[in-house]
Amino acid sequence: MLSFYLYLATAALLLGVGSLGLWRGPELLRRILALNVIGAGIFMLMVSLAYRPVLYGEPADSVLHALVLTGLVVAVSATAFALALLGRLLARPQ
Amino acid sequence: MGLLLFDVVLCALLLTLAGAAMLSRQLVHAVTLFIAFGVMMALAWARLQAPDLALAEAAIGAGLTGALCFTALARYAGDAGYPKPKLWLPLVFVAAVSALLLYSVFQIPAQPTTELSERVAEHLAVSGVSHPVTAVLLNFRAWDTLLELLVLLLALLGARQVPSQLPLHAGWSLSVSWSRLLSPMLLLLSAYLLWRGAAAPGGAFQAGALLASGLVILRLNQQLAWLSWQNFAVRTLVLAGLIAFVMAGLASLLLPGQLVWLSWPVALAGGIILLVETFATLAIALTLALLVVGEPEQEPADA
């Protein structure tokens, strides 16, 4: 029970830490990393919710796990696209 | 008690790594800390009884994202420095929002709502596989997976519109020989994960991500010269995941008694899922690898 709330709190704090990085920057690459940290916080929130049945001796919620698995792959492809745009921006003649 | 101690240490480590990555002075430190953060996230998924996610995160979060970020870092080499941003205004605002968020997550009851997972367990027998996560991904919510393959393809096509050349460095001889030794193992392991996904944690995404990291390691060590969008076979396989999925959906619509798009007949479900997963694995692996390593330098015309 306690660890469930501990992971929920970590998820909320990861969202906060990521938002701080997104605001401060200053480099664009760090802002992309910050978006990934926010994503990790949201995934952790969902996986903690999926963990609840385990506390009552049942298997974890597979629907949420499947959603997060899809989310992980979409997140990495969005990151790759963002970094490709960033590479183009930096390669531009000043 | 021991488990709670582990949880406390892991959560503290996650927050410290994320915070240090956001606040560190140098970008190279930020990227390195972020990769360590990815490894710790994989550990957290394993702790939260999500082995599927742990497998995928270990290959994606720690492996591929790290390679992507280091590639981007190489482009920052000639970039002028930035002024040091102010800390207190964002910190106060974000702390207030986080406190509100913390207050609201503690309102979530620990008693789960089991309606959905009960329905998954109820219909698992007719899904064609015995692992619930694979059943949800490839049968009950096959639309998600189909559209996800489309998103991957769109990301690759988008990234191809903005090519930027990076000079390739000759591989270090030790890393070249080690990559040759490791690649058969990675191939074997990803095939095992794909096959095992029907009954245990594993499946197309994990196998694809692992295969992609193997391809990226080899490509960065100046091997696999065929791995390029110019290669017709590579283009076909990148599209094959999506095409196999749509064809399977259309073919199953033609069978008698099938009225719903992307719902497999019970007798054939296991075979269809394995077929779709095999093509999806290859498509995911090649798309992710192409996204990470991009295009090699164009050969001169007379070479």
Side-chain angles (χ1 to χ4, degrees):
Chain A
M1 194 71 72
L2 208 53
S3 32
F4 165 64
Y5 283 109
L6 184 65
Y7 281 101
L8 271 187
T10 309
L13 289 174
L14 278 180
L15 276 170
V17 168
S19 319
L20 183 64
L22 190 62
W23 187 338
R24 273 186 91 228
E27 306 94 339
L28 279 173
L29 178 56
R30 202 189 298 263
R31 293 207 158 116
I32 295 172
L33 290 184
L35 272 179
N36 273 293
V37 171
I38 294 179
I42 293 170
F43 294 152
M44 181 161 263
L45 186 68
M46 291 171 74
V47 176
S48 309
L49 292 181
Y51 183 69
R52 285 185 299 175
V54 179
L55 299 172
Y56 295 88
E58 287 169 41
D61 188 349
S62 48
V63 178
L64 279 172
H65 283 179
L67 289 182
V68 175
L69 196 50
T70 311
L72 276 179
V73 178
V74 170
V76 74
S77 58
T79 306
F81 182 49
L83 290 174
L85 289 177
L86 173 68
R88 183 59 171 216
L89 192 66
L90 291 174
R92 163 192 67 166
Q94 299 292 323
Chain B
M1 188 61 211
L3 208 51
L4 189 63
L5 188 65
F6 175 79
D7 290 339
V8 171
V9 171
L10 184 58
C11 288
L13 204 54
L14 278 172
L15 288 172
T16 314
L17 284 172
M22 294 300 103
L23 297 178
S24 71
R25 292 262 175 80
Q26 291 184 20
L27 209 48
V28 60
H29 295 170
V31 171
T32 317
L33 287 165
F34 182 74
I35 294 169
F37 173 76
V39 178
M40 289 301 138
M41 282 307 279
L43 202 56
W45 300 149
R47 163 69 184 92
L48 289 170
Q49 311 259 321
D52 293 279
L53 297 178
L55 283 170
E57 177 84 41
I60 290 177
L64 295 177
T65 311
L68 273 170
C69 289
F70 270 116
T71 313
L73 201 57
R75 298 204 173 93
Y76 264 102
D79 204 41
Y82 288 83
K84 194 170 166 2
K86 50 182 183 298
L87 176 63
W88 290 107
L89 177 67
L91 191 62
V92 168
F93 183 79
V94 168
V97 174
S98 301
L100 206 63
L101 204 58
L102 270 179
Y103 175 73
S104 50
V105 295
F106 281 124
Q107 309 300 310
I108 296 176
Q111 183 73 42
T113 47
T114 53
E115 192 197 347
L116 264 182
S117 39
E118 270 166 15
R119 290 182 68 177
V120 169
E122 204 178 300
H123 292 90
L124 195 58
V126 296
S127 70
V129 288
S130 58
H131 183 50
V133 176
T134 310
V136 173
L137 276 173
L138 271 304
N139 196 334
F140 305 145
R141 294 188 66 100
W143 255 121
D144 286 8
T145 311
L146 178 61
L147 291 180
E148 181 202 343
L149 289 175
L150 190 64
V151 167
L152 262 180
L153 185 65
L154 284 178
L156 179 61
L157 292 180
R160 282 192 45 77
Q161 302 305 309
V162 284
S164 51
Q165 298 289 336
L166 263 190
L168 279 174
H169 299 285
W172 186 39
S173 60
L174 198 59
S175 75
V176 171
S177 52
W178 266 102
S179 68
R180 281 187 189 144
L181 270 176
L182 280 175
S183 51
M185 295 286 284
L186 279 172
L187 196 63
L188 195 65
L189 205 57
S190 65
Y192 172 74
L193 278 180
L194 174 66
W195 176 253
R196 200 69 188 123
F205 296 108
Q206 296 88 332
L210 196 64
L211 196 56
S213 48
L215 289 176
V216 168
I217 291 172
L218 283 175
R219 192 73 196 84
L220 290 180
N221 282 303
Q222 310 302 309
Q223 288 161 65
L224 304 185
W226 50 267
L227 182 62
S228 142
W229 184 255
Q230 316 296 333
N231 188 335
F232 180 73
V234 170
R235 269 182 313 211
T236 314
L237 280 176
V238 163
L239 286 173
L242 208 56
I243 292 172
F245 218 132
V246 172
M247 295 290 274
L250 288 177
S252 65
L253 263 188
L254 296 178
L255 292 172
Q258 291 291 317
L259 295 172
V260 188
W261 162 247
L262 290 181
S263 74
W264 321 123
V266 180
L268 298 175
I272 292 179
I273 287 178
L274 188 61
L275 186 77
V276 167
E277 274 200 306
T278 309
F279 282 107
T281 302
L282 290 173
I284 291 170
L286 285 171
T287 311
L288 287 177
L290 285 178
L291 273 173
V292 174
V293 294
E295 286 296 303
E297 290 276 348
Q298 289 290 324
E299 294 287 328
D302 55 352

